[in-house]
Amino acid sequence: NTPCNSALITVGGPAQRISTVGCDASQDDAVPFSGTHDNSAWASFVAPASGCIDINFDFESGVITFRSEDDDVEMSLYKADSCISTPFEEIAYNDDYSDDRDPRITIDAASSTKLQGGETYYIVVDGYQGDEVTGLLVVSDPCPVTSTNSPTSNPPSPNPVSNPPTTNPVSSPISPPTPAPTMPTTPRPTNTCPHNDPCDAKDVSVYGVAYSIS
């Protein structure tokens, strides 16, 4: 029931059971409180980067005993350099957030006060006029998470490498037409026939008839 042995709660994590049963407030006199310290139970958390926080205390049914119908539970939020630093600075206080007397503290995007991300903050849960209170403490971040990074887009593809223009192939020089082969002229042979002179005709006799053959 001191800041240095407070129940550490993870923001956005499971609920933490908190009870003022057996607690006192003798060590809390130096801690400012908008209510009255009677039997304080302490919790702590590390603030998210958003600087927002929602702290909700929910009574466990049948566990709390009221001294009167007006009794309930009080809750305060503090910042300090460490758990042993003084004075603690009270940032927010709540007594009756709802009709069922569940205290709640919310610092959202519209709040003028913001928490410092990464810093430890402290919560006091105190039974009003010494009520022994047991309940579940839930700490969450009410601010939506926004990414500062733009969606990753594929870089534009470079222009595909185009094939260089095809140059006209080097044409082979046109060969002149091959002239048709000429047939060699063979000189007509001179008439060497030994019998082409009528003077050389031979007389032939056939059946007694004389013929001349040249």
Side-chain angles (χ1 to χ4, degrees), residues 2-3 32 48 50 59 70 89 94 131 135 146 164 167 188 190 212 214:
T2 66
S50 67
F59 290 122
D70 294 328
E89 180 182 348
N94 185 254
D131 285 327
T146 56
T167 56
R188 291 176 62 89
T190 58
S212 177
S214 62

Side-chain angles (χ1 to χ4, degrees), residues 16-184:
Q16 175 71 48
R17 190 172 187 266
I18 298 292
S19 178
T20 66
V21 176
C23 298
D24 60 57
S26 59
Q27 73 283 345
D28 298 329
D29 291 338
V31 177
F33 189 46
S34 295
T36 302
H37 285 297
D38 292 299
N39 51 358
S40 302
W42 286 84
S44 59
F45 65 91
V46 177
S50 67
C52 303
I53 207 68
D54 183 63
I55 306 167
N56 186 24
F57 183 87
D58 184 18
F59 290 122
E60 286 187 339
S61 178
V63 176
I64 185 170
T65 302
F66 291 115
R67 291 183 178 178
S68 72
E69 61 180 11
D70 294 328
D71 290 343
D72 53 11
V73 65
E74 305 167 282
M75 184 166 67
S76 274
L77 173 64
Y78 296 93
K79 70 175 181 179
D81 292 336
S82 71
C83 65
I84 59 175
S85 297
T86 56
F88 274 49
E89 180 182 348
E90 188 179 45
I91 301 173
Y93 167 87
N94 185 254
D95 183 6
D96 293 326
Y97 176 81
S98 60
D99 292 340
D100 57 8
R101 301 192 182 102
D102 289 350
R104 187 172 188 174
I105 294 173
T106 301
I107 296 176
D108 57 20
S111 302
S112 58
T113 300
K114 292 292 191 298
L115 306 186
Q116 182 65 42
E119 296 294 326
T120 300
Y121 290 80
Y122 300 90
I123 304 168
V124 157
V125 175
D126 190 277
Y128 183 71
Q129 294 183 352
D131 285 327
E132 293 184 336
V133 180
T134 301
L136 298 176
L137 192 60
V138 179
V139 181
S140 59
D141 183 353
C143 295
V145 176
T146 56
S147 176
T148 57
N149 297 324
S150 59
T152 302
S153 58
N154 294 325
S157 300
N159 293 329
V161 177
S162 57
N163 294 325
T166 305
T167 56
N168 293 329
V170 178
S171 57
S172 300
I174 300 175
S175 301
T178 303
T182 56
M183 299 298 295

